[in-house]
Amino acid sequence: MTIATPLVIAVLGTGPVGRALAGRLGSLGHDVRLGTRDPAATGRREEHRTWHEEHAEVTVATFAEAATDADVVVNACGGEVTLEVLDQVGAELLDGVVLVDVSNPLDFSAGFPPRLSVCNDDSLGEQVQHAFPGARVVKTLNTMNSAVMVDPARLGASASVFVSGDDPDAKAVVARLLREMGHDDVIDLGGITSARGVEMFLPLWLRLAGALGSSEVGIAVVRP
Ligand SMILES: NC(=O)c1ccc[n+]([C@@H]2O[C@H](COP(=O)([O-])OP(=O)(O)OC[C@H]3O[C@@H](n4cnc5c(N)ncnc54)[C@H](OP(=O)(O)O)[C@@H]3O)[C@@H](O)[C@H]2O)c1
C-alpha cells in the first residue's frame, strides 16, 4: 500500500494528547485537523487558544468534519467516550482509514487509582476494531504521557513504543509516523488482541509515576 506524504491526519480530541499529537504532526508537515464536539466552544478555551496560536497550521473542526477524507484518524479521547466519539464520525468515514487508538480504558468512577473498564480477555482497541470493522485499527502510544509521545528523546534514554493491529500496512504507516516523531524502538506486538497487554500496563504506569513523582517515565525493552 502506498500512502502519499504528507498525510491528511484527523486527531480527535482536544486534551493534552490531542493537542500534543496534532501540534507535532502538523509541525512535521502533515495536513492535520483537530476534532472536537463544538469548535466554537473549544476556541473559547484559554488553553486551546494558547496552543492554537503556536499551531495555526492545524484546522479545528467537528469530529466528523475533521475525519472527512483523512488517511489517518487518531482517537485521542477518553476511553469512556471513545466509541461514542467514533460513532459521531461514523463507519462510512472510517472505512479503510488507519485508525490510531491511543486511548486507555480508565474508569475513575470509584476514585484514584482508576480501574480498567475492560481487561483480561478483551481491550478497548479490540472493541474499536469490532465496532468499526472497516477501519484498520492500530493501538499505540498509550503507554507514555503526551509529552513523551511526541518527543521521546526527553526521557534521555531509548524508550520502546508498541503497535498492535491486524493490518500490517496500517502498522507500517503508523510506525513511519512514530519514527518521524523520534521513536526509534517500535515493537510490533501482533494483532489487535495484543492491545490487552499495553492497556493492562496502565495500572503499573500509574504506580510508577506516583512512586517516582513524575509522569515522564517510559518502557525500554532490553534484549540481546
Ligand atoms: N494524558 C496523557 O498523557 C495520556 C497518556 C496516554 C494515553 N492517554 C489517553 O489518551 C486519551 C486522551 O487523553 P487526554 O487527557 O488528552 O484527553 P481527555 O480529557 O481524556 O479527552 C478529551 C477529549 O474527549 C472529548 N469528549 C468527547 N465526548 C466527551 C464527553 N462526553 N465528555 C468529555 N469529553 C468528551 C473532548 O471533546 P471536546 O474537545 O469537545 O471537549 C476532548 O476532545 C485518553 O483515553 C487517555 O487515557 C492519555
Side-chain angles (χ1 to χ4, degrees):
M1 181 191 65
T2 309
I3 288 196
T5 295
L7 298 173
V8 178
I9 302 177
V11 177
L12 311 181
T14 59
V17 175
R19 289 196 303 270
L21 288 174
R24 181 81 166 109
L25 293 166
S27 72
L28 287 167
H30 296 289
D31 175 359
V32 180
R33 302 90 176 266
L34 186 71
T36 182
R37 284 171 289 187
D38 179 346
T42 299
R44 289 191 289 274
R45 287 189 214 143
E46 181 66 33
E47 60 191 357
H48 175 82
R49 281 213 308 271
T50 307
W51 171 84
H52 206 203
E53 277 166 19
E54 288 171 20
H55 300 284
E57 74 279 7
V58 176
T59 33
V60 182
T62 64
F63 292 125
E65 285 165 352
T68 300
D69 296 328
D71 302 305
V72 175
V73 171
V74 180
N75 169 44
C77 287
E80 74 285 11
V81 298
T82 280
L83 292 172
E84 179 188 317
V85 167
L86 294 174
D87 269 340
Q88 286 177 38
V89 173
E92 202 176 321
L93 283 183
L94 293 173
D95 197 34
V97 155
V98 176
L99 178 50
V100 181
D101 180 30
V102 305
S103 68
N104 277 308
L106 301 181
D107 172 5
F108 289 91
S109 59
F112 194 90
R115 59 188 291 278
L116 295 174
S117 59
V118 53
C119 61
N120 292 329
D121 54 3
D122 197 4
S123 63
L124 190 52
E126 287 166 86
Q127 292 185 348
V128 169
Q129 183 63 83
H130 184 71
F132 300 94
R136 303 146 78 207
V137 178
V138 180
K139 186 99 202 178
T140 191
L141 287 173
N142 66 306
T143 54
M144 62 198 78
N145 82 3
S146 55
V148 176
M149 285 182 193
V150 298
D151 180 19
R154 66 190 293 128
L155 289 178
S158 187
S160 309
V161 64
F162 308 99
V163 290
S164 302
D166 294 336
D167 186 313
D169 290 338
K171 284 191 286 195
V173 171
V174 174
R176 192 179 94 197
L177 290 173
L178 292 170
R179 290 196 184 95
E180 284 180 23
M181 291 196 290
H183 293 276
D184 55 15
D185 187 27
V186 181
I187 300 178
D188 184 345
L189 291 178
I192 192 64
T193 58
S194 63
R196 297 172 194 178
V198 286
E199 292 182 9
M200 287 193 284
F201 172 68
L202 256 290
L204 175 56
W205 184 89
L206 289 163
R207 297 296 183 170
L208 266 175
L212 300 174
S214 170
S215 63
E216 302 225 348
V217 291
I219 308 170
V221 177
V222 181
R223 66 270 204 201

